[in-house]
Structures are given as C-alpha cells and as structure tokens.
Amino acid sequence: MTKIGTDISLAVHLLKEGLIIAIPTETVYGLAGNALNEDAVTNIFTIKNRPFFDPLIVHTDQLSKLSPLIGTIPEPLQMLARHFMPGPLTILVEKTEQMSDLVTSGSRKVAIRIPNHPLTLALLSRLDFPLAAPSANPFGYVSPTTAQHVADQLGDKVSYILDGGSCQIGLESTIVDYRENQIVVLRKGGIPIEEIEALVGPVQVYEQSSSRPSAPGMLDQHYAPSTPLTLQPLEEVLQKFKKEKIGYLAFDKLHPDLPNDHQKVLSPSGNLSEAAHHFFRYLREFDKMDLEIIAATLVPDRDLGRAINDKLKRGAIKN
Ligand code: TXA
Ligand code: MG
C-alpha cells in the first residue's frame, strides 16, 4: 500500500536517503528525488519510464541555494524570476560542472523553478539539496493533479506521496529560455505569455510545428489520455461512433446531442483558469469510462487557453 500523507519530516527523511517521493506543486504533482544524487535521478527516469534524453526540472525554494550549480542568470530572466517566482515559471540557465549531466540530458543549461505550494516550500526549506522532479505520470500520459492520480499509476513505485490537495493551476509551468538576446517560450504553461510580454515586451514562442524541438516535451503526441482524443466537430464524431462510446470535453456549455453524463464542461462561466484547473482531471475521468473516443473543442486562444489548446493539439490523433 502506498503511503499518502502530509508528513514533511518523513518526506525529508526519505529524500535524504536517496528515495523517490511524489510532491504537490501549484501546477501538477512531481516525482522528486535529490538532484545531486545520480542514483536517485536515475530512479526517477526508470519509475517514469522516461527516456534519458528528456531532461528534468530542478526545484528549489531559493535561487541563491543553487549558486554552486548554476552560472549567472541573464538579466531578462532575473526580471521574470523576481516577478513570477515562486510560481509556475521555469527558466533555463547555464549549469556548472557540479550539476549532473544526467539531470540535463547532456545540455549545458539546466531548467530551474521555485514551486508555489506551502507544503513543498516547507519541504524544500529543510533540504540542503535541490529536487529533480518531472511530472509524476508515466511518460507520455497526462500529468497528475491530485495525490490519488499519482497513487493510481505510480503508487507502488514511490516511497511516499506528499498530499497537498488538488493542484491549484492544473497545467505545468511555462518554460522560458534566453538565447541570442531574446526570450523564448519553450512550453506554454501556467504563466500566460501575455503576462510575460507585459513585463519584458514581445517574446518568441516556440510552436508545435517546428521540426527540431529543443525541449523534448514539445514533441507531438505528448500528454495524451489512453482513449483516442479528437478535435473533429462532435457532429462528425457522432456519425462514426455510438453515443455511449463518446466523451465530450466542452469549454463552457453542454452539447444537446449527447447525454449529459458523457460530457464534461471545463468552465460553465467561460473562465480559462477554471478550465485549466479541470483539464487533466477530466481527461483522466474520461479514461475510466470505457469510451472509444474523446471529442474536444479548442478553448479561446488567450491566457491559459493557449496552453490548453497546445495540449489538445498535441494529444489529438491525426486524421
Ligand atoms: O510544472 C512543472 O513544470 C512540473 C512540476 C512538477 O514542477 N514539472 C514538469 O516536468 O512538467 P516535466 O519533466 O514533465 O516537463 C519538463 C519539461 C520537459 O519537456 C523537458 O524536456 C523540459 O522541461 N526541460 C527540462 N530541462 C530542460 C533543459 N535543460 N533544456 C530544455 N528543456 C528542458
Ligand atoms: Mg511531464
């Protein structure tokens, strides 16, 4: 039986022993281990069934604690860090020799972030090493937003699940890099691009169609539920599948042509933050319903909607 609880001292003890636990963040749950312990880092990849070429984010409660591990943070990224950390922002910075190549998959840059969750901040403040943590889902599946989601899939593989409730934001962090004097958004996430641009001016956004992704998380067919997902209009899906085999992920209103218990509305009031909070959870709930297809609609393409749409497009079957 997996241990789920809120015992920070136990979590500290297990991490110091080099073991792997799940931690809550404001974005999604993470699969955490001592970033300075190569055995622990290797175990994270193994538990998640993640290829070693896909690097991990390093979590801390204070950037100053990372100073032996990273180089100077470029001023534009420092500005973002001052404004959005702790929060759903990850920045890429040069690493030193003391940061393992295993964590960065050989890249000379490391991804760092300060998660904004009281339990995990308390945990990090009691550690003298940072935590490497990818999202706590098997590679390729949607991210977990509750402790139970983690227990469902990885429960027998982690030493403890620190339960911080349901993740407030529900989408992963926004990842930004600074290259050739330009801020580049590599992954759309919990900080809307509009908020970043309000602070630093126009940024480059890494789009899905690029053929050579520099963040492996940008690969197509990531973040998909097990049930095939389509963006075809529900009218067309209804011609191909029986009603009882269809799930419909709507943005703000039910569709008249499908029973209500086969539909999930992301936000009845049309609020994109609420939609983000429900997004991964609803995909998981559909996956438990013995469906043949999940039909989804894109949401308004602004704020957190851009990250939701990005995930919908990536997760949808090509037809
Ligand atoms: O919100 C989040 O960021 C969550 C929570 C747990 O913090 N973590 C998360 O980690 O989403 P993960 O591993 O599922 O996604 C991190 C993404 C991956 O696509 C990875 O390729 C990219 O970050 N990444 C990590 N380190 C990188 C690096 N050094 N250079 C480029 N991309 C990097
Ligand atoms: Mg992930």
Side-chain angles (χ1 to χ4, degrees):
M1 262 264 299
T2 331
K3 280 185 275 174
I4 304 186
T6 56
D7 187 344
I8 296 181
S9 297
L10 175 61
V12 167
H13 169 75
L14 296 168
L15 289 166
K16 283 186 175 167
E17 293 288 305
L19 297 171
I20 308 304
I21 66 166
I23 55 167
T25 82
E26 80 283 31
T27 58
V28 301
Y29 275 74
L31 191 61
N34 179 351
L36 307 184
N37 176 333
E38 294 219 337
D39 290 337
V41 175
T42 303
N43 279 336
I44 293 174
F45 282 98
T46 308
I47 291 173
K48 202 177 147 77
N49 197 17
R50 176 166 176 142
F52 284 100
F53 61 72
D54 197 357
L56 309 180
I57 298 176
V58 170
H59 298 66
T60 185
D61 61 321
Q62 283 176 54
L63 292 184
S64 58
K65 277 188 172 175
L66 296 179
S67 64
L69 306 170
I70 60 172
T72 314
I73 303 176
E75 178 49 36
L77 293 185
Q78 282 193 39
M79 200 202 290
L80 292 179
R82 280 195 296 273
H83 207 82
F84 295 116
M85 289 183 175
L89 175 77
T90 294
I91 58 175
L92 295 194
V93 297
E94 297 281 341
K95 74 172 196 72
T96 66
E97 301 242 304
Q98 288 181 58
M99 172 56 78
S100 162
D101 284 329
L102 201 55
V103 172
T104 68
S105 303
S107 168
R108 62 188 172 78
K109 287 188 180 178
V110 58
I112 57 177
R113 123 170 173 83
I114 305 179
N116 191 15
H117 189 289
L119 269 189
T120 293
L121 282 173
L123 170 67
L124 287 164
S125 75
R126 290 177 56 182
L127 298 173
D128 58 4
F129 51 83
L131 295 177
S135 51
N137 50 282
F139 182 69
Y141 194 68
V142 295
S143 296
T145 55
T146 66
Q148 191 57 48
H149 291 166
V150 182
D152 287 347
Q153 290 184 309
L154 300 176
D156 54 344
K157 299 194 169 120
V158 295
S159 297
Y160 189 57
I161 300 175
L162 190 60
D163 188 351
S166 154
C167 301
Q168 186 211 333
I169 292 177
L171 298 176
E172 300 91 345
S173 60
T174 301
I175 303 179
V176 300
D177 190 12
Y178 185 69
R179 44 172 94 147
E180 290 158 12
N181 297 319
Q182 168 91 62
I183 287 182
V184 186
V185 174
L186 294 181
R187 179 175 72 183
K188 296 172 194 164
I191 304 243
I193 291 168
E194 290 90 333
E195 285 187 27
I196 293 175
E197 292 193 320
L199 204 66
V200 296
V203 299
Q204 206 177 314
V205 182
Y206 185 91
E207 293 296 343
Q208 182 188 14
S209 54
S210 309
S211 56
R212 296 206 56 197
S214 59
M218 307 308 286
L219 292 170
D220 284 358
Q221 283 290 335
H222 212 60
Y223 310 113
S226 306
T227 313
L229 176 77
T230 182
L231 292 172
Q232 283 185 345
L234 186 59
E235 290 72 15
E236 285 176 32
V237 177
L238 280 163
Q239 285 169 16
K240 296 184 202 153
F241 294 87
K242 295 197 192 102
K243 280 187 179 175
E244 59 272 23
K245 291 292 177 189
I246 305 173
Y248 182 56
L249 186 68
F251 174 50
D252 57 357
K253 52 181 166 304
L254 292 166
H255 195 289
D257 297 349
L258 205 64
N260 289 4
D261 61 355
H262 275 239
Q263 302 192 54
K264 294 184 190 297
V265 180
L266 287 169
S267 172
S269 64
N271 177 308
L272 288 164
S273 299
E274 186 185 25
H277 179 73
H278 290 144
F279 180 64
F280 284 141
R281 192 174 97 202
Y282 287 177
L283 289 177
R284 279 177 185 263
E285 287 173 6
F286 276 139
D287 255 352
K288 289 190 170 164
M289 281 174 60
D290 188 30
L291 303 171
E292 284 173 4
I293 191 93
I294 300 168
T297 49
L298 293 177
V299 303
D301 206 39
R302 57 180 160 75
D303 298 321
L304 293 186
R306 291 174 74 171
I308 297 173
N309 286 343
D310 198 62
K311 285 170 204 309
L312 283 172
K313 287 179 198 163
R314 248 174 250 290
I317 47 170
K318 309 286 171 267
N319 40 36

